[in-house]
Every structure is written in structure tokens, then in C-alpha cells.
Amino acid sequence: MSNSPRPNGAEIAATYMEGAVPESIKCTLQRKLFSHCSYCSCPIGKGPGWISKDAAKRCNTCGWVYCSDHVKDEGHCEACLDTAKAADHAGISLIKSAIVVGTGMGGLAATLAMKNRGVREVTILERTDVLRTSGGPILVQTNATRALLDIDPKVMEKVFDTAGPLDDDGAFKTIDEKALFASKLSTKIESRRGNPEGRSIVRGNLQQILYNRCVEVGIKVHFGMKVVDVEQDADRVTVTAEAYDREKRSFTADFLVASDGIWSRVRQVFFPDVPAPVYQGYQMIISRAPTDKFDQMEMDCWGELWGKAHRFGFFRCGDGGTGIYYARTCEEDLDKDKTQKELKQILIDAATENRYDEKVVKLAKAAEISRLYRFPIRHLQPLSHHACGRVVLLGDAANAMQPNLGQGGGMALESASILSQCLLIGETLSKGLEKYETRHIGRTSIVANESKTNGDLFQASNAFTVLLRNSLFSYLGKQTYKEGVDELEIPDPFAYLFSYRLLSWPHPGKRSSCLPGD
């Protein structure tokens, strides 16, 4: 790792805001290997329902690859044209007021994105009495950092100054430390292509940064408001919320963003036929370990060790600690009423009895009790629509992500960014939401299903499936990363996560034209 000074958040943001696309970056984009359309995420290659490589086109402006539906005759992709149109309509949103339900990452990000793109009044309703910043460390991968830059550069500055870089290698391994799939980290490769590098941060810290910025720009936040009913007509949406004292209040706006979690009340009202989330047969215990308890340099930047029906993972965190998690196949209610202290002992016993490496045992013993959380993993069937009239679902309310790709927060941030842009470029609200669904439903469904598949593989629970899983990833590892081959020439298995056009140069809405070379 280089010892040269790392640029601070403001310097990084300024680089991307200036809109300069160095020739070296243009060259690497031309060499970039794409597996999905960078606009609608439909797969490109050989497969049932896939777009053939012959039908895919590369945009003459940005260098990214799209299915033919999204590249115009003049060679500009629809993403470039959308971005230019958004710049021309900067500050002129299709709506003047909005209500956001929920203060999770998706809700706060959507609030900021809409406010920064011209929605004059945005009101947040939160069920809890205070901001709940629970949750352990998370990954903010390069697609999420691009979304943060688009949503609010000051937020990205703060995140880059407080979060840890994902600038080193890690691997999926067996319990006895046999490497199966040693990754060069897609985020590290993406930084060579001109994208902001990924970060790791405590979830609550990112949530607090977003909330502080909302307060700074004058967003109204009403705590202790439980949504009990939502009604809409051709022009307005009315939300009825109940306070702790049982008093009911009504809030009215042009538009409603429901980011109220996997058990979304708003989804139940407008999408009653969507099945309830289904328990996936395993739960996670997560925490953070401070660096003063062990030598962090003993370990890789990140790693995940696999056993039979259980696994243990870790990654370095921006605040100097290390995020840790333990996944186990079990009944949904197992240890439901355990205290945080008891959960820590379960973590230690699991690391010891399952014969994990001594480094893992040290991590378990160092886990901070106050940051220990247990949660069952559930799957929400991907929705065919996220919008209904003047209401749109966002984040876990629309596409709950299992934690097997590190993309739960990333998809919510992307959704917030894209939604705010579509509210600028649609001829009408319905057209804008239609474009939003075209852009993001396919992508979020792919990521949600891939994360579910990974969870099924990672939690393999019998000898045969364990052997199959380990053999498969060992083979993929050998085929993917080869000595002497430039990382940019490798068909990256995670490319579909990052080969998605979200942020253009210059920054959308900052200049009258966003087509480089115009």
C-alpha cells in the first residue's frame, strides 16, 4: 500500500465536480468489459432472454456500453441525453413538495437529492421518537460513492473524510484459511477507471451524516409519527400519521417517497398483493471490534471464512475498527430475547467451537457489546412496479437486499439519485416515474436475486453442497485472476454492480451541457 498522502473528501469531490475526464480514463473506459446494459441493466451475452453482443452499442460520448434501445442514431446514449436534459432543467422539478417516510439511508438520501434538485419543500415522517442509528459497519462500494456525489457532494466529502478506504485485497476462504476466491477488489479496479473508490463505514455514522445535512439545508423532520393511512388523488397525496399520544395529523404534498423498510406500511396499502418477506433460514450477528484489542495489520482488508451452515466475515472500518459478522443457519426465533452481552458470548463460542482461525476468535472477543445486533435474513419478492400514481417505494420497502453483496445501502443511494434526476427530465410525473422504473427496477431485481443466490451458496449446510460451493469458487478464482494479466482486461465477476451509468461528467445539474465535447 502506498504511503503517499490521501486526498481529503473536498479534494476528491472537486475532482469529479470539475467534469474533467482525463485521456487515461477515456482509454480505460474503452477497454472496460461490460456484462450488462449500463442504462437498464439487461444482461449482454449468451443466455435466454439476453441481449447479444452484436446488438450492444458503445456510446461515442461516455464510452459505456448499452443495449441498442438506449443508444440513439447520433451515437449518444440515453444516459448522456438524460444528464444533459437534467442540467438544462436544473432546479425545475416536476413537483414542488414531497413527503418522505423513514429516516434510513434511502429516505434521507432521497430527501437531499430532491431538495438539491429543486423540490422546494420536503418533509420527513419517522415512526421512532429519535433518529435510530443502529447497525454495524457496512461497505459503501464505488457505485454507492458515485451516488453520494450526485446526491450531495458535501455528504460525500464527509464520508470520504471519516470512512475507511477499500484499497487492499481480501478473499473468501475455508475455516482452515484455504483461499477459494482471492479478489483484487472491484472498487480498487474502478478507481483506475476514474470512479470514486469504495469506503467502509459504520452504518449509523453514514445515517447521521445524511441526517445532519438534511437539518443543515432546512428539511423538516417529524419524529414519533407512525403512518396509518395514505390517500391520493390526481394532484396530491395525503398521509395520516399517529403520534405517541394517539393524536392523528395529516400531511399533504405533491409526491410521497415511502422508504419505511422491509415491512413497509405504504407498500401494504398500494401493493397489497405483494407477499410478505420470507425468512431465509439463517440469521446474522454483527458488531465492531476496536483496533486497540488486536493488530489490524495481521489481517487482510476484508475476508469471509466459510464453514458448513455458518460463516464469519470481517472488513476494516473507517473509524479504525473492524466490522465483523457471523451468519448461522438456524430457526428464525433462536436467541430472539438474548441480551447484547449474551450475543457476544454466542459469537465467541461460535468462533471457538467451529475452530475458526485464532484471528477470528480474537475479533469475536473484542466485539463491542454496545454495537452487537442480531437480525434474521428475509427475502422480499422483487416488485414489477415501484410507483403507483404519486407514490413511489424506495430502499428496503421496494427491494430489500440480503447482505451477501454489500449492496443494500448502495441500491438505496442509487435509487435516490436516479429518482431525483427522473423528476427533472420527465414531461409529466407519470413519465418521470416510468423512466425511473425503466432505469432501476431491472437492476435492483438482479442484485436482490443475486444476493439471495449467494446467501444460499454461502450457507451451504451439507457435505455435498459445501464441496460444490468450495469447488465452484476455487475454479472461478483461478479463472478470474491470473498472474501477469492487467486487471482491466479481466472479465470481472462483479462488473455488473459497477458498470452502471449513474454519474456523468460534469456533475448533473451543475452546467448547462453535460455532454463532454459539446
Side-chain angles (χ1 to χ4, degrees), residues 64-75:
W64 292 51
V65 168
Y66 305 85
C67 59
S68 56
D69 290 345
H70 300 299
V71 178
K72 306 304 178 183
D73 293 339
E74 60 272 23

Side-chain angles (χ1 to χ4, degrees), residues 29-141:
L29 278 171
Q30 296 300 324
R31 296 161 60 197
K32 187 175 176 67
L33 300 172
F34 290 79
S35 60
H36 291 71
C37 170
S38 302
Y39 191 86
C40 67
S41 292
C42 65
I44 297 172
K46 296 180 179 179
W50 289 26
I51 303 297
S52 70
K53 290 185 177 180
D54 293 337
K57 295 182 180 180
R58 190 181 294 274
C59 174
N60 293 337
T61 301
C62 67
W64 292 51
V65 168
Y66 305 85
C67 59
S68 56
D69 290 345
H70 300 299
V71 178
K72 306 304 178 183
D73 293 339
E74 60 272 23
H76 292 319
C77 69
E78 197 167 345
C80 284
L81 298 175
D82 284 351
T83 304
K85 188 174 181 180
D88 292 338
H89 290 78
I92 311 175
S93 178
L94 291 169
I95 59 173
K96 302 304 178 187
S97 61
I99 297 169
V100 176
V101 180
T103 56
M105 277 193 294
L108 293 171
T111 299
L112 278 174
M114 288 191 294
K115 183 72 172 179
N116 290 338
R117 282 200 159 115
V119 180
R120 295 174 185 172
E121 183 179 350
V122 187
T123 301
I124 302 177
L125 304 181
E126 169 55 39
R127 179 179 56 83
T128 60
D129 55 347
V130 295
L131 182 70
R132 299 290 175 88
T133 56
S134 61
I138 61 171
L139 300 178
V140 183
Q141 301 190 63

Side-chain angles (χ1 to χ4, degrees), residues 94 387 389-390 426-437:
L94 291 169
R390 291 180 169 270
E427 296 175 3
T428 63
L429 179 59
S430 61
K431 291 287 186 182
L433 293 178
E434 183 180 334
K435 182 175 282 289
Y436 169 69
E437 291 189 329

